[in-house]
Amino acid sequence: MTGGKTAYMDKMLETLAPRIIELGAARDAQPHGNWRYAMDADRVFWLLLDRPGKSVNVVDREVLEELNSVIDRIEQERPTAVVLRSAKPAGFAAGADINQFVGASTQDIRSMLGQGHIVLDRLAALSMPTIAVIHGHCLGAGLEIALACRYRLAVHGASLGFPEVMLGLHPGLGGTFRSLEVADPVEAMTMMLTGKPVDARRARSIGLADAALEERHVANAVAAIRSGEMRKGDAGLRRRAFSLRPARSLLAKQMRRKAAETAPKAHYPAPYKLIDIWEANGGSADAMRKAELDSFAELIETPTAQNLVRVFFLREKMRGLRSGKSAIAHVHVIGAGAMGGDIAAWAARQGFTVTLQDIDLKPIGRAIKAGAGMMAATLKNDLKTRDALDRLIPDPDGIGVAHADLVIEAAPERIEVKRAIYQTVEPRLKDGALLATNTSALPLEQLSDGLADPSRFVGLHFFNPVSRMQLVEIVSHPDAGDETLRRATAFAVELSRLPAPVRSAPGFLVNRALTPYMAEALLMVGEGVPKERIDARAEAFGMPMGPVELADRVGLDIALEVSASLREGLDGDFPETPAWLVQMVREGRLGAKTNGGLYEYEGGKPKKIHVDAIPDGAKDDADLEDRLILPMLNAVVAALREGVVSDPDLADGAMVFGTGFAPFRGGPMHYARDRGVDAIVRRMEELAEKHGPRFRPDAGWQALT
């Protein structure tokens, strides 16, 4: 056990149970492996979840089986109350151990969940008050354990949620009915349908928690519950109303419409399954219990759940690329434009000291104002927002360069501009400091030409918007040092971002794959295919945004620059930029940022006609979906063949987290294998014959067969 962990447990136990007897047993003995317990002088049974060798608790069959044994002891000891909480500083529990679902049959999973239900039913049936004290993350199965307790005390800073929908599932250990019994049914269903967590105060206001309090008040709250001074609140009118089928049916219709806006039923069945079982069985906990088990077991075998579980493991694999710490505390960002400002603000939000430099004060001011809005929206805490803003320091004179552990250049995409910055900055870097570029396409070999020490130069390619896009491409070049790449990778993870190691090459991986997707869409616009139809077809495939709108969002001027760079740097066929698009850029119609491009924009949203309102006879193309998607796959295959990215799993992860490539398909290479590599090659050959050599399949497909 680490010193920090021991100190945390000592402080927690001292605060919560000053009169605990056998305190050593609570911290050191392991009578049940994952659980530690002790009885205090008031005969309160303190039960701590503390999985050995893990920084966070996760729930699996072993945890539940051991809990079952502890309940045997509780029934024998008959304490005055039971307090259940976590010994981990990170929180209560991060959810179920997803590994237990891999390779398990439907029957295995149903049996596992059924046994879990029995254990939590026993916990819920204990005659004495049972109290879950929740700090940090309390998600999924962790929240379901807490819900089996009679009381829940949420410590400020706690985050409670049901993220199962992100894996194509819904709660499976009683959460579907226990949450509805204690919380506002509409709020509980919303949590399960969206996967979005709530904080301690919100949990209290919707009935999910009985109190939201500071850690120092927990012991007193436990004493108040044990003495009967704190009582459960009334079930509430809304909960009673939704025990009736007509009320549930009315709300279920609204929920299905809302779910369809972001999660089409054909691709994401879990929300609709949950709505169905609640509408049919929400008036009976026993009926919901059986329906929950049956529905979960069916969902776990769907391609959507299997692929979303795959994406979960891709995320873990990318996080696992970190080796050690970055030793970066101070970040200096040069360029306060959209990307530079966002990078600076996000780094400050994540705890780094950041100095932000630009040749003009106005963009620095805009960046700090935008950063303040992002921090307020994501931190949801005035004190934390203030502290983060204190770490974001305007630095028009570049004083921070000499003190920074990492300098990130986010200047315009022109080699001569970036090189001029490096010539000024490199001599001022302190020993051990790294120099990084956020270029999206320029070759690092050319950018590093002229550096005295190119070994500490690296690409850190963030994606817009930085606060939402999880990927950072870690771009290497022949002279980059191993330690530089290691520290850059660690820094990305410390930013709560996913690193994707790529080799310097035109467009790296993500832009190389995304550009033909957008380019083909623009060719079809020129052919007369309605742009709304193109976007709708891409979104139906599972892309988060259609390629026409994406080009507008990126900026048509930027899209032209990247396209020209790729055409110049890549051998082979690449679609020519339409003359009409070049003219639009000359006229200053650059997309969303000028409120006009391929679409007109109002309030930041494109004005689109609904696809069903497209006039009869408007041009369509039976090949439309494949014309968009297959060039993207072909570019990924080429990048794999050339060694731009090391393996198909990393390529899939980069494309899912960098472009939003349909997560329920598991990534482009996984989709290709599911569809059939030979079938895709034949299809591309057909498209090449019909539409031109740009569809010729890359030689790398042969290695995937």
Coordinates of all heavy atoms in Angstrom, one line a residue, residues 663-693:
P663 N -18.6 4.7 -33.6 CA -18.1 3.8 -32.5 C -18.8 2.5 -32.5 O -18.1 1.5 -32.2 CB -18.4 4.6 -31.2 CG -18.5 6.0 -31.7 CD -19.1 6.0 -33.0
F664 N -20.1 2.4 -32.8 CA -20.7 1.1 -32.8 C -20.2 0.1 -33.9 O -20.6 -1.0 -33.8 CB -22.3 1.3 -32.9 CG -22.7 1.8 -34.3 CD1 -23.0 0.9 -35.3 CD2 -22.8 3.1 -34.5 CE1 -23.4 1.3 -36.6 CE2 -23.2 3.6 -35.8 CZ -23.5 2.7 -36.8
R665 N -19.4 0.6 -34.8 CA -18.8 -0.3 -35.8 C -17.4 -0.7 -35.3 O -16.7 -1.5 -36.0 CB -18.7 0.4 -37.1 CG -20.1 0.8 -37.7 CD -20.0 1.3 -39.1 NE -21.3 1.8 -39.6 CZ -22.2 1.0 -40.1 NH1 -22.1 -0.3 -40.2 NH2 -23.4 1.6 -40.5
G666 N -16.9 -0.2 -34.2 CA -15.6 -0.7 -33.7 C -14.3 -0.1 -34.3 O -13.2 -0.5 -33.9
G667 N -14.5 0.8 -35.2 CA -13.3 1.4 -35.9 C -13.3 1.0 -37.3 O -13.8 0.0 -37.7
P668 N -12.6 1.8 -38.2 CA -12.6 1.5 -39.6 C -12.0 0.1 -40.0 O -12.6 -0.5 -40.9 CB -11.8 2.6 -40.2 CG -11.0 3.2 -39.1 CD -11.8 3.0 -37.9
M669 N -10.9 -0.3 -39.4 CA -10.3 -1.6 -39.8 C -11.2 -2.7 -39.2 O -11.3 -3.8 -39.9 CB -8.9 -1.7 -39.2 CG -7.9 -0.7 -39.9 SD -7.7 -1.0 -41.7 CE -9.0 0.1 -42.4
H670 N -11.8 -2.6 -38.1 CA -12.7 -3.6 -37.6 C -13.9 -3.7 -38.5 O -14.4 -4.8 -38.8 CB -13.1 -3.2 -36.2 CG -13.9 -4.3 -35.5 ND1 -13.3 -5.5 -35.0 CD2 -15.2 -4.4 -35.1 CE1 -14.2 -6.2 -34.4 NE2 -15.4 -5.6 -34.5
Y671 N -14.4 -2.6 -38.9 CA -15.6 -2.6 -39.8 C -15.2 -3.2 -41.1 O -16.0 -4.0 -41.7 CB -16.0 -1.1 -40.1 CG -16.9 -0.9 -41.3 CD1 -18.2 -1.4 -41.3 CD2 -16.4 -0.3 -42.5 CE1 -19.0 -1.2 -42.4 CE2 -17.3 -0.2 -43.6 CZ -18.6 -0.6 -43.5 OH -19.4 -0.5 -44.6
A672 N -14.0 -3.0 -41.6 CA -13.5 -3.6 -42.9 C -13.5 -5.1 -42.8 O -13.9 -5.9 -43.7 CB -12.1 -3.1 -43.3
R673 N -13.0 -5.6 -41.6 CA -12.9 -7.1 -41.4 C -14.3 -7.7 -41.3 O -14.6 -8.7 -41.8 CB -12.1 -7.4 -40.2 CG -10.6 -7.1 -40.5 CD -9.7 -7.8 -39.4 NE -8.3 -7.7 -39.7 CZ -7.5 -6.8 -39.2 NH1 -8.0 -5.9 -38.4 NH2 -6.2 -6.8 -39.5
D674 N -15.2 -6.9 -40.6 CA -16.6 -7.4 -40.5 C -17.3 -7.5 -41.9 O -18.0 -8.4 -42.2 CB -17.4 -6.5 -39.6 CG -17.2 -6.9 -38.1 OD1 -16.6 -7.9 -37.8 OD2 -17.7 -6.1 -37.2
R675 N -17.0 -6.5 -42.6 CA -17.7 -6.4 -44.0 C -17.0 -7.4 -44.9 O -17.7 -7.9 -45.8 CB -17.6 -5.0 -44.5 CG -18.3 -4.8 -45.9 CD -18.4 -3.4 -46.2 NE -18.8 -3.2 -47.6 CZ -19.0 -2.0 -48.2 NH1 -19.0 -0.9 -47.4 NH2 -19.3 -1.9 -49.5
G676 N -15.7 -7.6 -44.7 CA -15.0 -8.6 -45.6 C -14.0 -7.8 -46.4 O -14.4 -7.0 -47.3
V677 N -12.7 -8.0 -46.2 CA -11.6 -7.3 -46.9 C -11.8 -7.6 -48.4 O -11.7 -6.6 -49.2 CB -10.3 -7.7 -46.4 CG1 -9.2 -7.2 -47.2 CG2 -10.1 -7.2 -44.9
D678 N -11.9 -8.8 -48.8 CA -12.0 -9.1 -50.2 C -13.2 -8.4 -50.9 O -13.1 -7.9 -52.0 CB -12.2 -10.6 -50.4 CG -10.9 -11.4 -50.1 OD1 -9.8 -10.7 -50.1 OD2 -11.0 -12.6 -49.9
A679 N -14.3 -8.3 -50.1 CA -15.5 -7.6 -50.6 C -15.3 -6.2 -50.8 O -15.7 -5.5 -51.8 CB -16.7 -7.9 -49.7
I680 N -14.5 -5.6 -49.9 CA -14.2 -4.1 -50.0 C -13.3 -3.9 -51.2 O -13.5 -2.9 -51.9 CB -13.6 -3.6 -48.7 CG1 -14.7 -3.5 -47.6 CG2 -12.9 -2.3 -48.9 CD1 -14.3 -3.0 -46.3
V681 N -12.3 -4.7 -51.3 CA -11.4 -4.5 -52.5 C -12.1 -4.6 -53.8 O -11.9 -3.8 -54.7 CB -10.2 -5.6 -52.4 CG1 -9.4 -5.6 -53.7 CG2 -9.3 -5.3 -51.2
R682 N -13.0 -5.6 -53.9 CA -13.8 -5.7 -55.2 C -14.7 -4.5 -55.4 O -14.8 -4.0 -56.5 CB -14.7 -7.0 -55.1 CG -13.9 -8.3 -55.3 CD -14.9 -9.4 -55.6 NE -15.8 -9.6 -54.5 CZ -15.6 -10.4 -53.4 NH1 -14.5 -11.1 -53.3 NH2 -16.6 -10.6 -52.5
R683 N -15.2 -4.0 -54.3 CA -16.1 -2.8 -54.4 C -15.3 -1.6 -54.8 O -15.8 -0.8 -55.6 CB -16.8 -2.6 -53.0 CG -17.7 -1.4 -53.0 CD -18.9 -1.6 -53.9 NE -19.9 -0.5 -53.7 CZ -20.5 0.1 -54.7 NH1 -20.2 -0.3 -56.0 NH2 -21.3 1.1 -54.5
M684 N -14.1 -1.4 -54.3 CA -13.3 -0.3 -54.6 C -12.8 -0.4 -56.1 O -12.8 0.6 -56.8 CB -12.1 -0.2 -53.7 CG -12.4 0.2 -52.3 SD -11.0 0.8 -51.3 CE -10.9 2.4 -52.1
E685 N -12.6 -1.6 -56.6 CA -12.2 -1.7 -58.0 C -13.4 -1.4 -58.9 O -13.2 -0.7 -59.9 CB -11.8 -3.2 -58.2 CG -10.4 -3.5 -57.6 CD -10.1 -5.0 -57.6 OE1 -11.1 -5.8 -57.8 OE2 -8.9 -5.4 -57.4
E686 N -14.6 -1.7 -58.4 CA -15.8 -1.3 -59.2 C -15.9 0.2 -59.2 O -16.2 0.8 -60.3 CB -17.1 -1.9 -58.5 CG -17.2 -3.4 -58.6 CD -18.4 -3.9 -57.8 OE1 -19.1 -3.1 -57.2 OE2 -18.5 -5.1 -57.7
L687 N -15.7 0.9 -58.1 CA -15.8 2.3 -58.0 C -14.7 3.0 -58.8 O -14.9 4.1 -59.4 CB -15.7 2.8 -56.5 CG -16.9 2.4 -55.6 CD1 -16.6 2.8 -54.2 CD2 -18.2 3.1 -56.1
A688 N -13.5 2.4 -58.8 CA -12.4 3.0 -59.6 C -12.8 2.9 -61.1 O -12.5 3.9 -61.8 CB -11.1 2.2 -59.4
E689 N -13.4 1.8 -61.5 CA -13.8 1.7 -62.9 C -14.9 2.7 -63.3 O -14.9 3.3 -64.4 CB -14.3 0.3 -63.2 CG -14.6 0.0 -64.7 CD -14.9 -1.4 -64.9 OE1 -14.6 -2.3 -64.1 OE2 -15.5 -1.7 -66.0
K690 N -15.8 3.0 -62.3 CA -16.9 3.9 -62.6 C -16.6 5.3 -62.4 O -17.1 6.2 -63.1 CB -18.1 3.4 -61.7 CG -19.4 4.1 -61.9 CD -20.5 3.5 -61.0 CE -21.8 4.2 -61.2 NZ -22.9 3.5 -60.4
H691 N -15.8 5.6 -61.3 CA -15.6 7.0 -60.9 C -14.2 7.5 -61.0 O -13.9 8.7 -60.9 CB -16.1 7.2 -59.5 CG -17.5 7.0 -59.3 ND1 -18.5 7.9 -59.6 CD2 -18.2 6.0 -58.7 CE1 -19.7 7.5 -59.3 NE2 -19.5 6.3 -58.8
G692 N -13.2 6.7 -61.3 CA -11.9 7.1 -61.5 C -10.8 6.5 -60.6 O -11.2 5.8 -59.6
P693 N -9.6 6.6 -60.9 CA -8.5 5.9 -60.2 C -8.3 6.3 -58.7 O -7.5 5.6 -58.0 CB -7.2 6.3 -61.0 CG -7.6 7.6 -61.7 CD -9.0 7.5 -62.0

